[in-house]
Each structure stands twice: as structure tokens, then as C-alpha cells.
Coordinates of all heavy atoms in Angstrom, one line a residue:
M1 N 152.6 113.5 92.5 CA 151.8 113.7 91.3 C 150.3 113.8 91.7 O 149.8 113.0 92.4 CB 152.0 112.5 90.3 CG 151.3 112.7 89.0 SD 151.8 111.5 87.8 CE 150.3 110.8 87.3
K2 N 149.6 114.8 91.2 CA 148.2 115.0 91.5 C 147.3 114.2 90.6 O 147.6 114.1 89.4 CB 147.8 116.5 91.3 CG 148.1 117.4 92.5 CD 147.5 118.7 92.3 CE 147.6 119.5 93.6 NZ 147.0 120.9 93.4
R3 N 146.3 113.6 91.2 CA 145.4 112.8 90.4 C 144.3 113.8 90.0 O 143.8 114.6 90.8 CB 144.8 111.7 91.2 CG 145.6 110.5 91.2 CD 145.0 109.3 92.0 NE 143.6 109.1 91.5 CZ 142.7 108.6 92.3 NH1 143.0 108.2 93.6 NH2 141.5 108.4 91.9
R4 N 143.8 113.7 88.8 CA 142.7 114.5 88.3 C 141.4 113.7 88.5 O 141.3 112.6 88.0 CB 142.9 114.9 86.9 CG 141.9 115.9 86.4 CD 142.4 116.5 85.1 NE 141.3 117.4 84.7 CZ 140.7 117.3 83.5 NH1 141.1 116.3 82.7 NH2 139.7 118.1 83.2
L5 N 140.5 114.3 89.2 CA 139.2 113.6 89.4 C 138.3 113.9 88.3 O 138.1 115.0 87.9 CB 138.6 114.0 90.7 CG 139.4 113.7 92.0 CD1 138.7 114.3 93.2 CD2 139.6 112.2 92.1
V6 N 137.7 112.9 87.7 CA 136.7 113.0 86.6 C 135.5 112.2 87.0 O 135.5 111.2 87.7 CB 137.2 112.6 85.3 CG1 138.4 113.5 84.8 CG2 137.7 111.1 85.3
D7 N 134.3 112.7 86.5 CA 133.1 112.0 86.7 C 133.1 110.7 85.9 O 133.6 110.6 84.8 CB 131.9 112.8 86.2 CG 131.6 114.0 87.1 OD1 131.9 113.9 88.3 OD2 131.0 115.0 86.6
P8 N 132.6 109.6 86.5 CA 132.5 108.4 85.8 C 131.5 108.5 84.6 O 130.7 109.4 84.6 CB 132.0 107.4 86.8 CG 131.3 108.2 87.8 CD 132.0 109.5 87.8
P9 N 131.6 107.7 83.6 CA 130.7 107.8 82.5 C 129.3 107.6 82.9 O 129.0 106.8 83.8 CB 131.1 106.7 81.5 CG 132.2 105.9 82.2 CD 132.6 106.6 83.4
S10 N 128.3 108.3 82.3 CA 126.9 108.2 82.6 C 126.4 106.8 82.2 O 126.8 106.3 81.1 CB 126.1 109.3 82.0 OG 124.7 109.0 82.2
P11 N 125.6 106.2 83.0 CA 125.0 104.9 82.6 C 123.8 105.0 81.6 O 123.3 104.1 81.2 CB 124.5 104.3 83.9 CG 124.1 105.5 84.7 CD 125.1 106.6 84.3
Q12 N 123.5 106.2 81.2 CA 122.2 106.5 80.5 C 122.1 105.7 79.2 O 121.0 105.4 78.7 CB 122.0 108.0 80.2 CG 123.0 108.5 79.2 CD 122.8 110.0 78.9 OE1 123.8 110.7 78.9 NE2 121.6 110.4 78.6
N13 N 123.2 105.4 78.5 CA 123.2 104.7 77.2 C 123.6 103.3 77.3 O 123.9 102.6 76.3 CB 124.0 105.4 76.1 CG 123.4 106.8 75.8 OD1 122.1 106.9 75.7 ND2 124.2 107.8 75.5
D14 N 123.7 102.8 78.5 CA 124.0 101.4 78.8 C 122.7 100.6 78.7 O 121.8 100.8 79.6 CB 124.7 101.2 80.1 CG 125.0 99.8 80.5 OD1 124.4 98.9 79.9 OD2 125.9 99.6 81.3
P15 N 122.5 99.7 77.7 CA 121.2 99.0 77.6 C 120.9 98.2 78.9 O 119.7 98.1 79.3 CB 121.5 98.0 76.4 CG 122.7 98.6 75.7 CD 123.5 99.4 76.7
R16 N 121.9 97.6 79.5 CA 121.6 96.9 80.8 C 121.1 97.8 81.9 O 120.1 97.4 82.6 CB 122.9 96.2 81.2 CG 122.6 95.3 82.4 CD 123.8 94.5 82.8 NE 123.6 93.9 84.1 CZ 124.5 93.3 84.8 NH1 125.8 93.2 84.3 NH2 124.3 92.8 86.0
F17 N 121.6 99.0 82.0 CA 121.1 99.9 83.0 C 119.7 100.3 82.7 O 118.8 100.3 83.6 CB 122.0 101.2 82.9 CG 121.4 102.3 83.8 CD1 121.5 102.3 85.1 CD2 120.7 103.4 83.2 CE1 121.0 103.4 85.9 CE2 120.2 104.4 83.9 CZ 120.3 104.4 85.3
Q18 N 119.4 100.6 81.4 CA 118.0 100.9 81.1 C 117.0 99.8 81.3 O 115.9 100.0 81.8 CB 117.9 101.4 79.6 CG 118.6 102.7 79.4 CD 118.1 103.9 80.2 OE1 117.0 103.8 80.8 NE2 118.7 105.1 80.1
E19 N 117.5 98.6 81.0 CA 116.6 97.4 81.2 C 116.3 97.1 82.6 O 115.2 96.9 83.1 CB 117.3 96.2 80.6 CG 116.5 94.9 80.7 CD 117.4 93.7 80.3 OE1 118.2 93.8 79.3 OE2 117.2 92.6 80.9
E20 N 117.4 97.2 83.5 CA 117.2 96.9 84.9 C 116.5 98.1 85.6 O 115.8 97.9 86.5 CB 118.6 96.7 85.5 CG 119.2 95.4 85.1 CD 120.5 95.0 85.7 OE1 121.0 95.9 86.5 OE2 121.0 93.9 85.5
R21 N 116.7 99.3 85.1 CA 116.0 100.5 85.6 C 114.5 100.3 85.5 O 113.7 100.5 86.4 CB 116.4 101.7 84.9 CG 115.8 103.0 85.3 CD 116.4 104.1 84.5 NE 115.7 105.3 84.8 CZ 115.4 106.2 83.9 NH1 115.8 106.1 82.7 NH2 114.7 107.3 84.2
A22 N 114.0 99.8 84.3 CA 112.6 99.6 84.1 C 112.1 98.4 84.9 O 111.1 98.4 85.5 CB 112.4 99.4 82.6
K23 N 112.9 97.3 84.8 CA 112.5 96.0 85.4 C 112.3 96.1 86.9 O 111.4 95.6 87.5 CB 113.5 95.0 85.0 CG 113.2 93.6 85.5 CD 114.2 92.6 84.9 CE 114.0 91.2 85.4 NZ 115.1 90.3 84.9
F24 N 113.3 96.8 87.6 CA 113.3 96.8 89.0 C 112.7 98.1 89.6 O 112.7 98.3 90.8 CB 114.7 96.6 89.6 CG 115.2 95.2 89.2 CD1 116.3 95.1 88.3 CD2 114.6 94.0 89.6 CE1 116.8 93.9 87.9 CE2 115.1 92.8 89.2 CZ 116.2 92.7 88.4
G25 N 112.3 99.1 88.8 CA 111.8 100.3 89.3 C 112.8 101.1 90.0 O 112.5 101.7 91.1
F26 N 114.0 101.2 89.5 CA 115.1 101.9 90.1 C 114.7 103.3 90.3 O 114.3 104.0 89.4 CB 116.3 101.8 89.1 CG 117.6 102.4 89.6 CD1 118.0 102.1 90.9 CD2 118.4 103.2 88.8 CE1 119.2 102.6 91.4 CE2 119.5 103.7 89.3 CZ 120.0 103.4 90.6
V27 N 114.9 103.8 91.5 CA 114.5 105.2 91.9 C 115.8 106.0 91.9 O 116.7 105.7 92.6 CB 113.9 105.2 93.3 CG1 113.6 106.6 93.7 CG2 112.6 104.4 93.3
V28 N 115.7 107.0 91.0 CA 116.9 107.9 90.9 C 116.4 109.3 90.5 O 115.3 109.4 89.9 CB 117.9 107.3 89.8 CG1 117.2 107.3 88.5 CG2 119.2 108.1 89.8
G29 N 117.1 110.3 90.9 CA 116.8 111.6 90.4 C 116.2 112.6 91.5 O 115.6 112.1 92.5
C30 N 116.5 113.8 91.2 CA 116.1 114.9 92.2 C 114.6 114.8 92.6 O 114.2 115.0 93.7 CB 116.4 116.2 91.6 SG 118.1 116.5 91.4
E31 N 113.8 114.5 91.6 CA 112.3 114.5 91.8 C 111.9 113.6 92.9 O 110.8 113.7 93.5 CB 111.6 114.2 90.5 CG 111.7 115.3 89.5 CD 112.9 115.2 88.6 OE1 113.9 114.5 89.0 OE2 112.9 115.8 87.5
R32 N 112.7 112.6 93.2 CA 112.4 111.6 94.3 C 113.3 111.9 95.6 O 113.3 111.0 96.5 CB 112.6 110.2 93.8 CG 111.7 109.8 92.7 CD 110.2 109.7 93.1 NE 110.0 108.9 94.3 CZ 109.8 107.6 94.2 NH1 109.7 107.0 93.0 NH2 109.6 106.8 95.3
C33 N 114.0 113.0 95.6 CA 114.9 113.3 96.7 C 114.2 114.2 97.7 O 113.5 115.2 97.3 CB 116.1 113.9 96.1 SG 117.3 114.5 97.4
V34 N 114.4 114.0 98.9 CA 113.8 114.9 100.0 C 114.3 116.3 99.9 O 113.6 117.2 100.3 CB 114.1 114.3 101.4 CG1 115.6 114.4 101.7 CG2 113.2 114.8 102.4
Y35 N 115.4 116.6 99.2 CA 115.9 117.9 99.1 C 115.5 118.7 97.9 O 115.9 119.8 97.6 CB 117.5 117.9 99.2 CG 118.0 117.3 100.4 CD1 118.8 116.2 100.4 CD2 117.8 117.9 101.7 CE1 119.3 115.6 101.5 CE2 118.2 117.4 102.8 CZ 119.0 116.2 102.8 OH 119.5 115.6 103.9
F36 N 114.7 118.0 97.1 CA 114.2 118.7 95.8 C 113.1 119.7 96.2 O 112.2 119.5 97.0 CB 113.6 117.6 94.9 CG 113.1 118.1 93.6 CD1 114.0 118.7 92.7 CD2 111.8 118.1 93.2 CE1 113.6 119.2 91.5 CE2 111.4 118.6 91.9 CZ 112.3 119.1 91.1
V37 N 113.3 120.9 95.6 CA 112.3 122.0 95.8 C 111.4 122.0 94.6 O 111.7 122.5 93.5 CB 113.1 123.4 95.9 CG1 112.1 124.5 96.2 CG2 114.1 123.3 97.0
H38 N 110.2 121.5 94.8 CA 109.2 121.3 93.8 C 108.8 122.6 93.2 O 108.6 122.7 92.0 CB 108.0 120.5 94.2 CG 108.3 119.1 94.5 ND1 108.2 118.1 93.6 CD2 108.7 118.5 95.7 CE1 108.5 116.9 94.1 NE2 108.9 117.2 95.4
R39 N 108.7 123.7 94.0 CA 108.3 125.0 93.5 C 109.2 125.6 92.4 O 108.8 126.2 91.5 CB 108.2 125.9 94.7 CG 107.6 127.3 94.4 CD 107.4 128.1 95.7 NE 108.6 128.1 96.5 CZ 109.7 128.9 96.4 NH1 109.7 129.8 95.5 NH2 110.7 128.8 97.3
T40 N 110.5 125.3 92.6 CA 111.5 125.9 91.7 C 112.2 124.9 90.8 O 112.8 125.3 89.8 CB 112.6 126.6 92.5 OG1 113.3 125.7 93.3 CG2 112.0 127.7 93.4
G41 N 112.1 123.6 91.1 CA 112.9 122.6 90.3 C 114.3 122.5 90.7 O 115.1 121.9 90.1
G42 N 114.7 123.3 91.8 CA 116.1 123.3 92.2 C 116.3 122.4 93.4 O 115.5 121.5 93.7
C43 N 117.5 122.5 93.9 CA 117.9 121.7 95.1 C 118.0 122.6 96.3 O 118.5 123.7 96.2 CB 119.3 121.2 94.7 SG 120.1 120.4 96.1
A44 N 117.5 122.1 97.4 CA 117.6 122.8 98.7 C 119.0 123.1 99.1 O 119.2 124.1 99.8 CB 116.9 122.0 99.8
H45 N 119.9 122.3 98.6 CA 121.4 122.6 98.9 C 122.0 123.5 97.9 O 123.2 123.8 98.0 CB 122.1 121.3 99.0 CG 121.7 120.4 100.1 ND1 121.8 120.8 101.4 CD2 121.3 119.1 100.2 CE1 121.4 119.8 102.2 NE2 121.1 118.8 101.5
R46 N 121.2 124.0 97.0 CA 121.6 124.8 95.9 C 122.7 124.2 95.0 O 123.5 124.9 94.4 CB 122.1 126.2 96.4 CG 121.0 126.9 97.1 CD 121.4 128.3 97.5 NE 120.3 128.9 98.2 CZ 120.3 130.2 98.6 NH1 121.4 130.9 98.5 NH2 119.3 130.7 99.2
Y47 N 122.7 122.9 94.9 CA 123.6 122.2 93.9 C 123.0 122.4 92.5 O 121.8 122.4 92.3 CB 123.6 120.7 94.2 CG 124.3 120.3 95.4 CD1 123.8 119.2 96.1 CD2 125.3 121.0 96.0 CE1 124.3 118.8 97.3 CE2 125.9 120.6 97.2 CZ 125.4 119.5 97.8 OH 125.9 119.0 99.0
P48 N 123.9 122.6 91.5 CA 123.4 122.6 90.2 C 122.8 121.2 89.9 O 123.6 120.2 90.2 CB 124.6 122.9 89.3 CG 125.8 122.9 90.2 CD 125.3 122.8 91.6
N49 N 121.6 121.0 89.5 CA 121.0 119.7 89.6 C 120.4 119.2 88.2 O 119.8 118.1 88.2 CB 119.9 119.6 90.6 CG 118.7 120.5 90.3 OD1 118.8 121.4 89.5 ND2 117.6 120.2 91.0
E50 N 120.7 119.9 87.2 CA 120.2 119.4 85.9 C 120.6 118.0 85.5 O 119.8 117.2 85.0 CB 120.5 120.3 84.7 CG 119.8 121.6 84.7 CD 118.3 121.5 84.7 OE1 117.8 120.7 83.9 OE2 117.6 122.1 85.6
Q51 N 121.8 117.6 85.9 CA 122.3 116.3 85.6 C 121.9 115.2 86.5 O 122.2 114.0 86.4 CB 123.9 116.3 85.4 CG 124.6 116.4 86.8 CD 124.8 117.8 87.3 OE1 124.0 118.7 86.9 NE2 125.8 118.0 88.1
H52 N 121.2 115.6 87.6 CA 120.7 114.7 88.6 C 119.2 114.4 88.5 O 118.7 113.6 89.3 CB 121.0 115.2 90.0 CG 122.5 115.4 90.3 ND1 123.5 114.4 89.9 CD2 123.2 116.4 90.8 CE1 124.6 114.9 90.2 NE2 124.5 116.1 90.8
K53 N 118.5 115.1 87.6 CA 117.1 114.9 87.5 C 116.8 113.6 86.7 O 117.6 113.1 86.0 CB 116.4 116.1 86.8 CG 116.4 117.4 87.6 CD 115.7 118.5 86.9 CE 115.7 119.7 87.8 NZ 115.1 120.9 87.1
V54 N 115.6 113.1 86.9 CA 115.2 111.8 86.3 C 115.4 111.8 84.8 O 115.9 110.9 84.2 CB 113.7 111.5 86.6 CG1 113.2 110.3 85.8 CG2 113.5 111.3 88.1
G55 N 115.0 112.9 84.1 CA 115.1 113.0 82.7 C 116.5 112.9 82.2 O 116.8 112.5 81.0
A56 N 117.5 113.2 83.0 CA 118.9 113.1 82.6 C 119.4 111.7 82.4 O 120.4 111.4 81.8 CB 119.8 113.8 83.6
F57 N 118.6 110.7 82.9 CA 118.9 109.3 82.8 C 118.3 108.6 81.6 O 118.5 107.4 81.4 CB 118.7 108.6 84.1 CG 119.6 109.0 85.2 CD1 119.3 110.1 86.1 CD2 120.8 108.4 85.4 CE1 120.1 110.5 87.1 CE2 121.7 108.8 86.4 CZ 121.3 109.9 87.2
E58 N 117.5 109.4 80.9 CA 116.9 108.8 79.7 C 118.0 108.7 78.6 O 119.0 109.5 78.6 CB 115.8 109.7 79.1 CG 114.6 109.9 80.1 CD 113.9 108.6 80.4 OE1 113.9 107.7 79.6 OE2 113.3 108.5 81.5
R59 N 117.8 107.8 77.7 CA 118.8 107.6 76.6 C 119.0 108.9 75.9 O 118.1 109.6 75.5 CB 118.2 106.5 75.7 CG 119.2 105.5 75.2 CD 118.6 104.5 74.3 NE 117.8 103.5 75.1 CZ 118.2 102.4 75.6 NH1 119.5 102.1 75.5 NH2 117.5 101.6 76.2
D60 N 120.3 109.2 75.7 CA 120.8 110.4 74.9 C 120.4 111.7 75.5 O 120.4 112.8 74.8 CB 120.3 110.3 73.4 CG 120.8 109.1 72.7 OD1 122.0 108.7 73.0 OD2 120.1 108.5 71.9
A61 N 119.9 111.8 76.7 CA 119.6 113.1 77.3 C 120.8 113.9 77.5 O 121.9 113.4 77.6 CB 118.9 112.8 78.7
T62 N 120.6 115.2 77.5 CA 121.7 116.2 77.7 C 121.2 117.2 78.7 O 120.1 117.8 78.5 CB 122.0 116.9 76.4 OG1 122.3 116.0 75.4 CG2 123.2 117.9 76.6
P63 N 121.9 117.5 79.8 CA 123.2 116.8 80.1 C 123.0 115.4 80.5 O 121.9 115.0 81.0 CB 123.7 117.7 81.3 CG 122.5 118.2 81.9 CD 121.5 118.4 80.8
A64 N 124.0 114.6 80.4 CA 123.9 113.2 80.8 C 123.8 113.0 82.3 O 124.3 113.8 83.0 CB 125.2 112.4 80.3
G65 N 123.0 112.1 82.7 CA 122.8 111.9 84.1 C 124.0 111.4 84.9 O 124.8 110.7 84.4
S66 N 124.1 111.9 86.1 CA 125.1 111.4 87.0 C 124.4 111.3 88.4 O 123.5 112.1 88.7 CB 126.3 112.3 87.1 OG 126.0 113.6 87.6
F67 N 124.9 110.4 89.2 CA 124.3 110.2 90.5 C 124.7 111.2 91.5 O 125.9 111.6 91.6 CB 124.6 108.8 91.0 CG 124.1 107.7 90.1 CD1 125.0 107.0 89.3 CD2 122.7 107.4 90.1 CE1 124.5 106.0 88.5 CE2 122.3 106.4 89.2 CZ 123.1 105.7 88.4
C68 N 123.8 111.7 92.3 CA 124.1 112.7 93.3 C 124.4 112.0 94.6 O 123.8 111.1 95.0 CB 122.9 113.6 93.5 SG 123.1 114.8 94.9
K69 N 125.5 112.4 95.2 CA 125.9 111.8 96.5 C 125.1 112.2 97.7 O 125.2 111.7 98.7 CB 127.4 112.1 96.7 CG 128.3 111.5 95.7 CD 129.7 111.8 95.9 CE 130.5 111.2 94.7 NZ 131.8 111.8 94.6
E70 N 124.2 113.2 97.5 CA 123.4 113.7 98.6 C 121.9 113.1 98.5 O 121.1 113.4 99.4 CB 123.3 115.2 98.6 CG 124.5 115.9 99.1 CD 124.7 115.9 100.6 OE1 123.7 116.1 101.3 OE2 125.8 115.6 101.1
F71 N 121.7 112.3 97.5 CA 120.3 111.8 97.3 C 119.8 111.1 98.5 O 120.4 110.3 99.1 CB 120.3 110.8 96.1 CG 119.0 110.2 95.9 CD1 118.0 110.9 95.1 CD2 118.6 109.0 96.4 CE1 116.8 110.3 94.8 CE2 117.4 108.4 96.2 CZ 116.5 109.0 95.4
E72 N 118.6 111.6 98.9 CA 117.9 110.9 100.1 C 116.5 110.7 99.6 O 115.7 111.6 99.2 CB 117.8 111.9 101.3 CG 119.1 112.1 102.0 CD 119.5 110.9 102.8 OE1 118.7 110.1 103.2 OE2 120.7 110.8 103.2
L73 N 116.1 109.4 99.6 CA 114.7 109.0 99.1 C 113.6 109.8 99.9 O 113.6 109.9 101.1 CB 114.5 107.5 99.3 CG 113.3 107.0 98.6 CD1 113.3 107.2 97.1 CD2 113.2 105.5 98.9
D74 N 112.7 110.4 99.1 CA 111.6 111.2 99.7 C 110.6 110.3 100.3 O 110.3 109.3 99.7 CB 111.0 112.0 98.5 CG 110.0 113.0 99.1 OD1 110.0 113.3 100.3 OD2 109.2 113.5 98.2
Ligands
SF4_1 S1 120.5 116.7 97.0 FE1 121.1 115.9 94.9 S2 119.5 114.5 94.3 FE2 118.7 115.8 96.0 S3 117.7 117.5 95.0 FE3 119.8 118.1 95.5 S4 121.0 117.7 93.6 FE4 119.0 116.6 93.5

């Protein structure tokens, strides 16, 4: 039987995530990644990245944020 892979739920509307994100200065999002192309707003690896940008982790943002597995701190 094949397992279907699905993305885990976004933490964006989890109050604890938002509280700890602010409290500890959690760094997340393409804008802080070494592969972010500032000139275009895209990803050097050409990944679709709207859901990985900082704004996607704000409460009720669309698309909902998800963590990128290639993220490398800039
Ligand atoms: S590697 Fe991931 S986190 Fe980095 S810019 Fe590309 S999509 Fe964003």
C-alpha cells in the first residue's frame, strides 16, 4: 500500500508558535536564506517559494507558511 505524503499543518495560527517566534527571534523565511535572490524575490534553486517567505508565517497569511528543507541562514 502506497503512503500519500502530505505537508504538515502550518504553524502560522498556533499562538505558541507566534509567541515563541517573537520572544526568541526565530529566523525563518527565504529573505534570510543564502539562496534568496533579492533582485527577483525568487529562489536560486528555482523552487516555488511563496509559502517559504517570512510573510507566509504571519497569522492567516495565504499561502500558509511551510518550512523549506533547503534553508541556509544568510
Ligand atoms: S532554498 Fe528554500 S528558503 Fe532558501 S530561498 Fe529557496 S525556497 Fe527560500
Side-chain angles (χ1 to χ4, degrees):
M1 185 169 128
K2 274 189 173 180
R3 277 183 50 206
R4 188 162 176 243
L5 298 177
V6 293
D7 286 334
S10 173
Q12 71 180 131
N13 291 325
D14 180 337
R16 182 173 171 193
F17 170 77
Q18 293 297 355
E19 180 188 324
E20 291 184 355
R21 179 179 171 215
K23 184 173 176 183
F24 299 113
F26 185 48
V27 174
V28 64
C30 296
E31 292 86 341
R32 295 295 304 272
C33 175
V34 72
Y35 300 118
F36 184 62
V37 182
H38 291 270
R39 184 174 48 83
T40 63
C43 170
H45 293 303
R46 299 188 179 182
Y47 293 144
N49 66 343
E50 287 305 313
Q51 74 276 24
H52 301 313
K53 290 183 177 178
V54 172
F57 290 90
E58 299 298 331
R59 224 177 282 275
D60 298 323
T62 304
S66 68
F67 298 106
C68 176
K69 294 177 183 161
E70 286 283 317
F71 177 86
E72 289 284 341
L73 188 61
D74 188 19

